[in-house]
Amino acid sequence: EKLINDINIINNYANFTTSWPTVGNKIISVNGTNINGITNTVSWTITVLNQTTLSACGILNRTNSIYILNSSVSSNGTCFTIGANNVTLDGQGKNVNYSKTTTGYGISDTGGYDNINVRNLSLNQQNAAVTNAHGIYLSNVINSRADNINITTKNNAEGIYLTSSNSNILSNINIKTSSTGAYGIYLTSSSSNTFAGCNITTAGSNGDGIYLTSSSNSNSFSGCNVTTTGGNGDGIYLAASNYNIYSVLDILTSGSGANGFWIDTNGNYNNFSNMNILAAASGIRVNSANSNIVKDGSIVSRSANDYYLQNS
């Protein structure tokens, strides 16, 4: 017996296919009875989306829609702006070239639209004279995803910038930044986000690989490789952020004064495991922080201490 949108269908299926003429959330419930007469019902919610083909940058403002990019695109400023909930952008491996003349972003969701899915594309900042042109910029966004994204930024621009954004999943992300103060991933007031499979390379001075601040708590990073080559470019920098989890990390810092981890003021109760750190300065530097856990890994410092504790 099958219950589809409150309509009983009594039959037995090895496979079942259906479709709907309208978009929105649909519910499929399957009721089964085993040989002992025990029954159980399993339900799924399926979101039916509109599909639109894109060949230019613009605003993605149709709720419950999937946008398919069929060619590489360019923009003087921001390329794609999210303007609705439940939007999917599938880049199909195409290039998104942005900020040719003015500050903009590859993907921008600053209106707080949720349940966004961005996948399979490359974001490339074009003009090195333009500042703060982040690859992905999310503000007040929850329950969204980014997967299989390549990001290249230039002048003081982050690969991924999250502010007040929570419970998002970002996976298989490759980021390259090249200028002073350009971080690979930057989180401020953003919690419970998951990063899995990230490769980050920064080349500018003070270009940290991953930077968390302002109560960015309970985030998870796993399977990440972080390389920084600019002076004072730490692998991971934590300030006033707690209960974050870092596991299976490879960190290489080669610029002068660059630490593997710098746990700054009030970065407490963070957990680090299965790490390999080769740092130009301290492997792990802790300043006025408490109760962080480090285990299962190797830490090598070339010019300072494997662990440097200050006021802790």
Side-chain angles (χ1 to χ4, degrees):
E1 178 180 356
K2 296 181 183 294
L3 183 65
I4 303 176
N5 287 349
D6 298 323
I7 300 174
N8 285 313
I9 298 177
I10 301 174
N11 212 327
N12 294 316
Y13 294 99
N15 297 288
F16 178 75
T17 301
T18 189
S19 61
W20 295 271
T22 59
V23 301
N25 291 329
K26 314 296 180 179
I27 297 175
I28 292 181
S29 295
V30 177
N31 180 275
T33 303
N34 66 18
I35 60 175
N36 298 314
I38 298 173
T39 63
N40 190 29
T41 300
V42 178
S43 297
W44 296 267
T45 298
I46 298 173
T47 301
V48 180
L49 304 176
N50 283 308
Q51 182 167 309
T52 301
T53 301
L54 294 175
S55 57
C57 297
I59 300 174
L60 311 183
N61 57 5
R62 295 178 60 189
T63 301
N64 297 323
S65 293
I66 180 168
Y67 293 88
I68 306 296
L69 189 60
N70 64 4
S71 64
S72 295
V73 292
S74 297
S75 175
N76 288 333
T78 296
C79 184
F80 291 114
T81 299
I82 305 298
N85 295 318
N86 302 316
V87 167
T88 294
L89 172 62
D90 189 339
Q92 296 195 112
K94 302 299 191 296
N95 290 314
V96 174
N97 303 314
Y98 68 97
S99 284
K100 293 173 62 178
T101 59
T102 61
T103 294
Y105 315 109
I107 307 290
S108 174
D109 185 351
T110 58
Y113 296 102
D114 304 323
N115 301 310
I116 306 306
N117 190 339
V118 179
R119 62 191 183 222
N120 305 326
L121 49 78
S122 295
L123 305 172
N124 308 297
Q125 181 188 348
Q126 296 298 288
N127 191 336
V130 172
T131 62
N132 299 306
H134 314 310
I136 296 177
Y137 183 20
L138 305 181
S139 178
N140 294 293
V141 174
I142 63 172
N143 297 329
S144 295
R145 302 179 67 100
D147 181 65
N148 194 26
I149 310 291
N150 300 314
I151 303 173
T152 302
T153 73
K154 297 178 181 177
N155 197 350
N156 197 33
E158 274 66 76
I160 295 174
Y161 188 112
L162 269 60
T163 177
S164 301
S165 294
N166 308 312
S167 302
N168 302 291
I169 299 174
L170 300 97
S171 57
N172 303 309
I173 309 292
N174 300 305
I175 299 173
K176 293 183 179 180
T177 73
S178 59
S179 74
T180 298
Y183 310 129
I185 296 172
Y186 179 86
L187 272 64
T188 177
S189 303
S190 297
S191 298
S192 301
N193 298 287
T194 299
F195 294 83
C198 47
N199 295 293
I200 301 170
T201 302
T202 70
S205 61
N206 297 304
D208 300 332
I210 299 171
Y211 191 115
L212 274 66
T213 188
S214 301
S215 297
S216 291
N217 304 323
S218 302
N219 298 285
S220 174
F221 296 83
S222 64
C224 292
N225 299 304
V226 180
T227 301
T228 70
T229 59
N232 298 314
D234 300 317
I236 296 177
Y237 181 91
L238 277 169
S241 296
N242 309 309
Y243 301 103
N244 296 285
I245 298 174
Y246 302 85
S247 62
V248 193
L249 303 178
D250 289 296
I251 298 175
L252 170 64
T253 70
S254 58
S256 175
N259 305 289
F261 285 99
W262 187 349
I263 308 172
D264 206 347
T265 305
N266 297 323
N268 303 314
Y269 308 106
N270 297 282
N271 190 310
F272 307 88
S273 63
N274 296 304
M275 303 176 304
N276 292 300
I277 301 174
L278 181 57
S282 298
I284 296 178
R285 177 171 179 168
V286 181
N287 179 26
S288 299
N290 300 291
S291 302
N292 293 285
I293 299 174
V294 180
K295 62 181 180 179
D296 300 332
S298 61
I299 301 171
V300 178
S301 173
R302 289 191 289 246
S303 64
N305 308 290
D306 286 356
Y307 295 90
Y308 179 77
L309 305 180
Q310 180 180 358
N311 302 321
S312 299

